[in-house]
């Protein structure tokens, strides 16, 4: 049975890592995607009015401030007469228009959401959140974003209209790849009382998927480990997310006790896609620390701490995904929300954790407030439970949907009396080796 299980695990890991470098496949969220639905709700004299809705169907990858940016290329000579609930970043060259001037004349418009507080007459449902979209797993109600667009110089029937091409979604950096727009069955809309149904003139869908390897070449988070049974704190691997510059000059990091720290940091003030990290040996914006804290007769307890080393980012609605075989017997969890992720039905070993609203759903920028923590209480399943072979440590950790780099398995803290030889099952060693190799190859 054990062998069978491990074999499944290997096949599973193999498949996910052979895909991840090229495709956007995520083994823990195999169907995760953002679907952009474009509903033509009305034909106009020279085009149409459409409601564009983005559904973030991903379980745990959300879009945080400064929000999404959506672009596309018009198939013909379309212009945007007006928008509600969003705007284009540039108007472009509208010099051939007299009188009525379009909102945007660019062939490849770039659209951004409006900010909260937009006057009501410029809003539509699910708009105006500064481009922030929650994940489906965290809150489906806020995992949607919409705007309305009036398109001119376009076709005015479903035979003459051309779907836009080359959709690009930034969140706000790279990472998403969008497929072509596909004409689908027109959406049906129900009135509030559910007694009447109307339908779109025409609908097309675009599916966008995420790949961490497109988003950034280097990892963005790392894991450190400790336990009550061994004094060793296993740090994040050195240079996980970059190396400190040699000598007195710090390339891309800020020293914690630098005299100018306050001025450097206060000058930022807004979330920025490019991290500015505190100087550490790992140089990661985020570190997750997993501490095996206590051992009871029937239970054991873990303390998880997420530390923000990034001065450029207040992480809103952050989330953590952790894979550990004992999650099917999670008994208690403090101050985080929990949801089990079971993309493969029977295997209940993956948890999504996120903060509580107004309490710890905001992970503050680097500094004294830049951390959140929780404790997990697991009930031991005596047939599998052990403190040996690093079993008490997680297999995989994601922060905001990005895979965090684990320390080398042979460095894990071990039980003093577990013998001097590191007894790893060869299977596990192979798996872990493959994991590190996969990451190595993916990052070079
Ligand atoms: C996108 O996600 C939804 C919800 O998980 C799923 O039903 C749909 O099949 C996905 N689309 C693609 C093209 O993967
Ligand atoms: C256009 O509309 C007609 C009738 O309304 C429908 O039969 C046809 O399938 C539609 N064509 C497309 C491409 O949607
Ligand atoms: C769409 O993008 C591809 C590749 O980037 C490019 O070759 C093509 O010309 C673009 N199409 C349009 C209509 O811009
Ligand atoms: C198009 O997207 C909408 C919203 O996600 C979804 O309900 C619909 O099933 C999709 N249609 C197709 C054919 O994928
Ligand atoms: C820094 O530079 C010195 C001399 O150039 C070298 O000996 C040392 O190994 C370097 N340290 C790191 C961390 O690269
Ligand atoms: C993070 O939030 C604090 C308090 O609201 C604010 O002072 C700071 O400027 C914010 N930092 C960033 C990078 O947005
Ligand atoms: C997974 O296990 C946890 C802890 O026992 C339980 O709360 C959760 O409902 C389980 N999820 C599924 C899908 O079985
Ligand atoms: C642990 O969870 C599994 C699956 O939910 C269940 O079959 C088993 O009885 C649980 N073990 C304990 C000790 O609660
Ligand atoms: C604690 O674990 C480390 C491995 O990380 C090992 O080198 C050390 O000997 C262990 N300490 C004890 C007291 O066993």
């Amino acid at each position: 049975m054990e062998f069978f299980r491990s074999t499944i695990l290997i096949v599973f890991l193999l498949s996910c890592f052979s895909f991840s470098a090229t495709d956007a496949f995520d083994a823990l969220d195999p169907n995760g995607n953002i679907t952009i639905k474009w509903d033509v709700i009305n034909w106009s004299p020279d085009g149409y009015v459409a409601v564009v809705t983005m559904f973030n169907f991903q379980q745990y990858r959300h879009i945080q401030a400064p929000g999404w940016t959506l672009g596309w290329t018009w198939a013909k000579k379309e212009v945007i007469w007006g928008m509600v609930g969003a705007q284009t970043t540039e108007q472009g060259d509208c010099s051939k228009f007299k009188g009525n001037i379009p909102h945007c004349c660019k062939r490849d418009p770039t659209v951004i959401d409006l900010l909260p507080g937009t006057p009501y007459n410029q809003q539509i449902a699910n708009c105006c959140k500064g481009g922030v979209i929650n994940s489906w797993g965290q809150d489906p109600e806020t995992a949607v974003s919409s705007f309305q667009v009036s398109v001119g110089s376009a076709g005015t029937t479903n035979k003459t209209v051309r779907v836009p091409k080359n959709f690009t979604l930034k969140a706000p950096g790279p990472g998403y790849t969008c497929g072509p727009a596909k004409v689908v069955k027109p959406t049906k809309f129900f009135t509030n009382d559910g007694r009447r149904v109307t339908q779109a003139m025409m609908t097309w869908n675009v599916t966008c998927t995420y790949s961490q390897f497109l988003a950034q070449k280097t990892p963005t988070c790392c894991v450190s480990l400790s336990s009550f049974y061994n004094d060793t704190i296993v740090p994040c691997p050195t240079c996980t997310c970059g190396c400190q510059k040699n000598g007195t000059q710090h390339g891309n990091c800020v020293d914690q006790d630098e005299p100018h720290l306050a001025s450097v940091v206060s000058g930022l003030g807004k979330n920025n896609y490019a991290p500015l990290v505190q100087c550490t040996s790992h140089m990661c914006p985020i570190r997750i620390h997993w501490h095996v804290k206590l051992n009871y007769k029937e239970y054991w307890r873990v303390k998880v701490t997420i530390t923000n080393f990034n001065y450029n980012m207040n992480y809103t609605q952050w989330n953590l995904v952790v894979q550990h075989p004992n999650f099917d017997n999670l008994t208690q969890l403090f101050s985080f929300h929990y949801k089990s992720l079971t993309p493969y039905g029977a295997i209940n070993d993956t948890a999504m954790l996120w903060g509580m609203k107004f309490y710890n759903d905001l992970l503050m920028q680097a500094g004294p407030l830049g951390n959140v923590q929780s404790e997990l209480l697991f009930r031991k399943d005596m047939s599998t439970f052990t403190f040996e072979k690093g079993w008490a440590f997680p297999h995989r950790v994601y922060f905001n949907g990005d895979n965090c780099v684990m320390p080398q398995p042979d460095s894990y803290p071990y039980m003093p009396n577990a013998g001097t030889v590191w007894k790893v099952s060869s299977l596990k060693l192979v798996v872990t080796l493959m994991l590190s190799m996969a990451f190595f190859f993916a990052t070079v």
Side-chain angles (χ1 to χ4, degrees), residues 35 37 55 57 184 205:
T35 299
K37 185 163 67 85
F55 297 85
F57 288 127
V184 299
N205 276 7

Side-chain angles (χ1 to χ4, degrees), residues 36-103:
I36 303 164
K37 185 163 67 85
W38 194 300
D39 288 311
V40 175
I41 50 169
N42 245 325
W43 301 114
S44 62
D46 72 334
Y48 59 86
V49 176
V51 172
V52 180
T53 310
M54 287 185 250
F55 297 85
N56 182 8
F57 288 127
Q58 299 176 106
Q59 286 295 327
Y60 44 77
R61 199 169 287 111
H62 64 300
I63 298 181
Q64 62 166 5
W68 56 260
T69 300
L70 181 68
W72 62 82
T73 308
W74 290 118
K76 296 190 291 188
K77 294 212 167 2
E78 290 90 336
V79 293
I80 298 176
W81 282 117
M83 294 189 100
V84 184
Q87 62 186 359
T88 61
T89 55
E90 278 180 76
Q91 182 177 33
D93 177 6
C94 293
S95 58
K96 69 184 175 75
F97 289 87
K98 294 194 188 80
N100 269 347
I101 310 288
H103 175 81

Side-chain angles (χ1 to χ4, degrees), residues 327-330 338 340 342 348:
F327 268 116
D328 59 352
N329 295 92
L330 179 67
Y338 159 81
S340 63
T342 50
N348 184 4

Side-chain angles (χ1 to χ4, degrees), residues 95 308 323 332 344 422:
S95 58
N308 187 359
Q323 196 176 21
Q332 208 176 11
Y344 303 95
W422 172 253

Side-chain angles (χ1 to χ4, degrees), residues 229-232 234 410-417:
Y229 52 79
N230 182 318
D231 288 341
T232 309
V234 182
D410 61 359
S411 69
Y412 285 14
Y414 57 76
M415 294 280 271
N417 55 2

Side-chain angles (χ1 to χ4, degrees), residues 62 76 78 293 361 371 378 392:
H62 64 300
K76 296 190 291 188
E78 290 90 336
K293 189 177 174 185
D361 63 333
N371 67 83
F378 294 104

